[in-house]
């Protein structure tokens, strides 16, 4: 009820503002329509049956704009056409997990004011900061992640940007049937602050993320944390055909709010990608540190788009008690057009996962991707193979995905 009241107040205030503006300016309405069809297959050691999930997700809504003001409402539904899988919230885990439960929801319901140097957004919205390591939309999952929040993005001078959000509810990927540790929404007083400065060599960002997972059912408050750090990311062109992209990040995390644990853990990342006429080579090293090896006292990222990091087999969505070190190398090719296909991408990445303490080799993983766009439809084929050593079990995953949007 508290969250509903806050959201209603935001919409009422914004609606009055929009109505007043509409008297002086025309209102333009832009439809929002998206569709996704995905097949996911999982073969996981330790579970006799395999998972086969064929899901269809649709989103529809509209954005009304009048001058600097806009209102956006988008609803979504997710249907399991083939449901031979454990969705995380319904039934028993007799098959591997595919985290796409059936769902119907209000995905976006936001009001926004946008003028030179300032953007203010209120309501249910997407928030994706930097590379989404700490705060993201989790767009790969059918239900994705949104925030009931107010957000201010301010650029007082060219090259300097302040981005601050207060979120009182995190709408999770688990949907309307979410329960126990996998709630439909997690309440709490989350403060997400980000200050960036564009330099000639790249963007330097300082951040403070106060994550309040204020639900006893969600790991007994042990995912509430305060994280402070900095990130630097940029590119350098050595000519028309050669480009180097680089990034480095460091952060320190400790317990916050009602978290009963007393811990601190470090994070750091170094990554570089060389692009020569569309051929790419990438290497990086990412560390999510540990404290003394107790459960959930390692560096955690409960609001991040974790599928993008540490392999697609999803073995490290929750950081192990002894932390994780991810050494990865990869390569690929990308081009704007091949025949009727645009945005063509081929990619392969190899990961070696080790603990941050006690010198454990968790396992290795290979990820493969082929994707392209045909008019308004994006087609993607993915494969992940996790070779377990001391953590989890051998796992193979295959995805075939079609995304369409107007």
């Amino acid at each position: 009820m508290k969250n509903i009241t806050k959201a209603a107040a935001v919409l009422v205030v914004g609606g009055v503002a929009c109505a007043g503006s509409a008297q002086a300016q025309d209102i333009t309405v832009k439809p929002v329509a998206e569709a996704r069809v995905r097949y996911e297959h999982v073969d996981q050691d330790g579970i006799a049956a395999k998972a086969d999930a064929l899901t269809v997700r649709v989103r529809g809504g509209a954005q009304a704009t009048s001058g600097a003001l806009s209102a956006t409402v988008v609803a979504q539904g997710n249907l399991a056409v083939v449901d031979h899988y454990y969705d995380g919230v319904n039934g028993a885990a007799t098959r591997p997990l595919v985290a796409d439960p059936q769902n119907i929801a209000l995905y976006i319901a936001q009001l926004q004011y946008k003028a030179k140097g300032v953007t203010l957004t209120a309501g249910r919205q997407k928030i994706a900061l930097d590379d989404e390591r700490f705060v993201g939309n989790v767009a790969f999952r059918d239900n994705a992640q949104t925030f009931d929040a107010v957000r201010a993005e301010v650029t007082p001078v060219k090259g300097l940007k302040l981005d601050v959000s207060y979120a009182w509810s995190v709408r999770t990927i688990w949907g309307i049937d979410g329960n126990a540790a996998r709630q439909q929404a997690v309440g709490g007083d989350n403060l997400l602050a980000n200050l960036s400065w564009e330099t000639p060599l790249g963007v330097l960002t300082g951040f403070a993320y106060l994550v309040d997972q204020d639900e006893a059912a969600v790991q007994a408050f042990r995912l509430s944390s305060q994280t402070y750090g900095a990130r630097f990311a940029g590119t350098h062109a050595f000519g028309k055909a050669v480009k180097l992209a680089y990034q480095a990040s460091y952060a320190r995390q400790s317990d916050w709010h009602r978290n009963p644990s007393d811990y601190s853990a470090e994070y750091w990342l170094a990554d570089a990608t060389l692009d020569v006429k569309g051929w790419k080579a990438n290497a990086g090293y990412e560390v999510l540190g540990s404290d003394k090896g107790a459960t959930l006292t390692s560096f955690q990222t409960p609001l991040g788009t974790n599928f993008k990091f540490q392999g697609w087999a999803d073995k490290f969505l929750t950081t192990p008690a002894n932390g994780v070190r991810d050494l990865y190398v990869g390569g690929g090719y990308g081009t704007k057009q091949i025949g009727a296909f645009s945005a063509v991408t081929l990619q392969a990445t190899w990961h070696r996962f080790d603990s941050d303490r006690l010198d454990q080799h968790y396992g290795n993983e290979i990820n493969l991707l082929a994707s392209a766009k045909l008019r308004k439809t994006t087609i993607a084929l993915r494969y992940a193979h996790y070779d377990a050593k001391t953590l989890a079990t051998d796992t193979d995953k295959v995805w075939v995905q079609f995304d369409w949007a107007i």
Side-chain angles (χ1 to χ4, degrees):
M1 183 61 70
K2 176 183 176 182
N3 293 342
I4 294 173
T5 302
K6 287 184 178 180
V10 166
L11 292 174
V12 168
V13 172
V16 171
C18 283
S21 176
Q23 295 177 0
Q25 302 187 54
D26 293 335
I27 298 176
T28 60
V29 179
K30 179 182 178 181
V32 176
E34 302 175 19
R36 169 187 286 174
V37 177
R38 179 163 68 213
Y39 169 72
E40 181 171 343
H41 172 81
V42 185
D43 183 356
Q44 181 175 323
D45 278 8
I47 302 179
K50 298 176 176 62
D52 290 288
L54 178 62
T55 58
V56 177
R57 187 197 70 197
V58 293
R59 290 177 180 158
Q63 181 182 69
T65 304
S66 178
L69 293 168
S70 67
T72 305
V73 177
V74 179
Q76 73 171 20
N78 183 40
L79 174 67
V81 179
V82 176
D83 63 352
H84 300 159
Y85 66 100
Y86 174 53
D87 66 15
V89 294
N90 297 295
T94 56
R95 293 178 183 269
L97 173 67
V98 175
D100 290 322
Q102 295 191 119
N103 187 38
I104 185 168
L106 182 61
Y107 180 60
I108 300 291
Q110 70 174 44
L111 293 162
Q112 187 174 85
Y113 172 82
K114 191 170 185 177
K116 184 178 180 179
V118 60
T119 300
L120 306 176
T121 310
R124 186 161 300 173
Q125 59 190 282
K126 294 187 289 185
I127 301 177
L129 302 178
D130 296 322
D131 60 355
E132 301 189 52
R133 191 40 167 135
F134 304 115
V135 181
N137 179 230
V138 198
F140 182 78
R141 298 270 52 114
D142 282 345
N143 295 319
Q145 174 176 269
T146 55
F147 299 81
D148 290 344
V150 289
R151 182 182 185 185
E153 300 168 78
V154 181
T155 305
V157 296
K158 184 178 180 181
L160 184 67
K161 181 181 178 181
L162 176 65
D163 189 332
V164 180
S165 300
Y166 165 69
W168 58 86
S169 180
V170 180
R171 313 297 299 188
T172 75
I173 65 171
W174 302 112
I176 56 175
D177 292 330
N179 60 80
R182 293 167 172 165
Q183 297 282 305
Q184 175 185 2
V186 181
D189 296 314
N190 301 276
L191 181 62
L192 314 171
N194 194 308
L195 180 64
S196 62
W197 175 43
E198 293 185 16
T199 76
L201 297 178
V203 178
L204 178 63
T205 304
F207 53 83
Y209 302 135
L210 307 184
V211 175
D212 186 17
Q213 299 271 281
D214 200 22
E215 303 275 354
V218 182
Q219 303 295 348
F221 310 114
R222 290 182 297 168
L223 288 177
S224 294
S225 65
Q226 50 185 330
T227 301
Y228 305 94
R231 180 175 186 268
F232 183 76
T235 59
H236 179 76
F238 295 96
K240 292 184 178 180
V242 182
K243 182 174 65 175
L244 178 67
Y246 42 84
Q247 57 177 318
S249 184
Y250 172 82
R252 188 172 184 84
Q253 182 179 98
S254 60
D255 51 285
W256 188 62
H257 199 60
R258 290 205 278 180
N259 190 330
S261 301
D262 180 10
Y263 81 99
S264 65
E266 294 181 318
Y267 168 92
W268 61 275
L269 165 75
D271 178 279
T273 301
L274 181 65
D275 186 328
V276 181
K277 295 184 177 179
W279 293 96
K280 297 177 175 64
N282 169 253
Y285 193 54
E286 184 184 43
V287 178
L288 280 74
S290 64
D291 190 342
K292 298 179 178 64
T295 301
L296 296 178
T297 61
S298 50
F299 199 107
Q300 303 294 329
T301 58
L303 302 187
T305 299
N306 295 342
F307 179 81
K308 292 177 61 177
F309 304 88
Q310 298 177 327
W312 300 333
D314 284 347
K315 300 302 181 182
F316 300 94
L317 297 181
T318 299
T319 306
N322 289 320
V324 58
R325 293 174 176 259
D326 177 14
L327 171 67
Y328 56 90
V329 294
Y333 178 74
T335 185
K336 293 182 179 179
Q337 198 78 34
I338 297 180
F341 294 95
S342 61
V344 178
T345 298
L346 299 173
Q347 177 184 314
T349 305
W350 172 84
H351 296 261
R352 177 189 169 96
F353 300 111
D354 296 288
S355 64
D356 182 51
R357 63 187 296 273
L358 300 186
D359 194 27
Q360 299 172 324
H361 178 35
Y362 291 145
N364 304 316
E365 183 168 331
I366 295 174
N367 296 151
L368 303 175
L369 169 68
S371 68
K373 191 171 183 178
L374 181 63
R375 293 185 288 277
K376 294 182 179 181
T377 301
T378 299
I379 306 164
L381 307 176
R382 293 178 187 261
Y383 171 72
H385 170 69
Y386 178 75
D387 180 17
K389 302 301 181 184
T390 63
L391 184 139
T393 57
D394 291 355
T395 301
D396 289 279
K397 293 189 177 187
V398 177
W399 298 266
V400 182
Q401 182 170 320
F402 300 87
D403 284 285
W404 172 89
I406 61 173

